[in-house]
Amino acid sequence: MVKALVRLGGFEIKKGSKHFWKVCHTKTNKCFTIPNRKPLKKGMVWSLVRDFIKPLGYSEKEIFKQIWC
């Protein structure tokens, strides 16, 4: 998920605690955390897309293309 956000562009990734990544959008300064584990649960990915990434102006098709490429 972190690599997909880097490919989308406009996100700043920081290492949070040893179990989380802190992700901030550079234009809006909206931040959220992603657990540092593989694989992420399906519900976690959907909530990130629906609640944080999609309102920033990215389409679902564009987001999921980057996640599964």
Side-chain angles (χ1 to χ4, degrees):
M1 186 70 180
V2 173
K3 289 180 184 179
L5 293 173
V6 170
R7 286 191 296 259
L8 276 173
F11 291 97
E12 184 178 331
I13 314 294
K14 297 179 184 177
K15 183 73 173 164
S17 67
K18 61 183 175 180
H19 299 290
F20 292 96
W21 293 96
K22 184 175 181 182
V23 180
C24 294
H25 191 255
T26 55
K27 293 179 184 173
T28 61
N29 292 329
K30 195 173 189 181
C31 297
F32 56 93
T33 58
I34 298 176
N36 187 17
R37 64 176 173 173
K38 295 175 187 172
L40 287 177
K41 293 185 178 182
K42 181 173 47 173
M44 171 67 77
V45 174
W46 271 108
S47 67
L48 288 172
V49 170
R50 182 184 61 237
D51 298 336
F52 295 105
I53 301 171
K54 194 173 175 186
L56 296 174
Y58 298 102
S59 68
E60 281 185 20
K61 187 175 184 179
E62 184 179 24
I63 296 165
F64 286 113
K65 181 181 176 188
Q66 294 301 322
I67 291 174
W68 284 293
C69 81

